[in-house]
Amino acid sequence: MSTSGAAPAPILTEAELKLLQALVYQECGMHFDERRTHFLQDRLLRRLKECRVDSFYAYYRLLISPQGKDELAKLLENLTVNETSFFRHKAQLDLFQKSVLEELFKHKSSRREYSIRIWSAGCSTGQEAYTLAMLVTDALAYYYLRNPLPVDLPLPKPLVPPPWRVEILASDIAYSVLRHGQEGTYSENQMSMVDYGYRLRYFDKTGERYAVKKPLKEMVHFDFHNLKTEYLPQRNDVIFCRNVMMYFDEAEQKRLIEKFYRCLNAGGYLFVGHAESLLGLTKKFQMLHKDSGTAYQRVEVRE
């Protein structure tokens, strides 16, 4: 390395790029085509400087070494764009709350199975998971008013009326965003889409920040999951995986949809991002469409 002034930035060769692309793909399924090579190079260069390594090949050697596990996790974290907000894509959430949940509650009640399990995959800093918790709580309270069970509710009334149980699992590949979600405090700016009624019922204001109230927080469990692996949460009624599939190539998307199929209960629902679609990728889901909100329902097929 040159001692006079700053060292010039190392050049990423075609061979090094292919090695690093293959490693990232193998580890988490993210595919960086020509359009996104510049983004990949920029993120690699940041990590290179952080690790004080002087070539992309030396950095690759570090990533595949036994000591490189932590650095690999940091790189993958840098490659995911953790963009999220409360109540994102209203039309989709309306479909979830007014149609999907209503259908689920009816179906579960008829079978006396009073539990709902939802998985927010690629949850980022937790806003989606807490949004789903608020929507389920409200929908269940409304459903319970119309279909009360002969159970005396304890006082103060619990968020989820017994014998109902609601579990929301929020997972991500980045530990730092999981910690943020677990902490459950958000700035005024992050709360911009949360209306006054929701703020009042589900948050406590502490100084300049809003903290998720304990009963709502207890409904959400944060956990590390890499969608590339087979060890994924099973027996879900609904899976939200929005704006994650777009990072994957078609082969990896098909594998992921297959995994989601296996992770859902019979007749379960999958929500993907606004710009994502399952069309042409699978025949195991049918599309539901209502007021510009879309979801996909698992179709029961004989294996």
Side-chain angles (χ1 to χ4, degrees), residues 76-89:
L76 298 181
E77 203 165 302
N78 266 261
L79 292 175
T80 50
V81 182
N82 292 304
E83 199 183 287
T84 185
S85 61
F86 286 104
F87 297 97
R88 198 173 185 194
H89 300 320

Side-chain angles (χ1 to χ4, degrees), residues 155-218:
L155 290 171
K157 281 186 182 173
L159 262 193
V160 176
W164 286 96
R165 287 194 322 279
V166 176
E167 186 187 0
I168 295 171
L169 179 72
S171 74
D172 205 280
I173 198 170
Y175 286 105
S176 62
V177 297
L178 287 168
R179 279 195 295 274
H180 190 126
Q182 222 153 13
E183 194 181 282
T185 70
Y186 298 95
S187 65
E188 184 69 60
N189 193 25
Q190 288 172 309
M191 294 286 290
S192 61
M193 296 300 287
V194 184
D195 70 27
Y196 182 70
Y198 278 117
R199 290 184 191 207
L200 212 56
R201 278 178 296 153
Y202 297 118
F203 293 86
D204 289 317
K205 186 147 195 259
T206 52
E208 292 302 300
R209 296 183 74 77
Y210 291 82
V212 178
K213 285 186 178 177
K214 194 165 176 265
L216 193 78
K217 206 173 176 187
E218 284 171 350

Side-chain angles (χ1 to χ4, degrees), residues 2-18:
S2 153
T3 50
S4 56
I11 305 296
L12 178 62
T13 68
E14 192 64 31
E16 289 168 335
L17 174 65
K18 282 197 163 61

Side-chain angles (χ1 to χ4, degrees), residues 285-303:
F285 286 88
Q286 62 183 11
M287 187 164 97
L288 308 175
H289 189 86
K290 195 173 180 186
D291 301 331
S292 72
T294 55
Y296 295 87
Q297 186 171 22
R298 180 181 142 135
V299 176
E300 297 319 302
V301 290
R302 285 200 179 95
E303 292 288 339

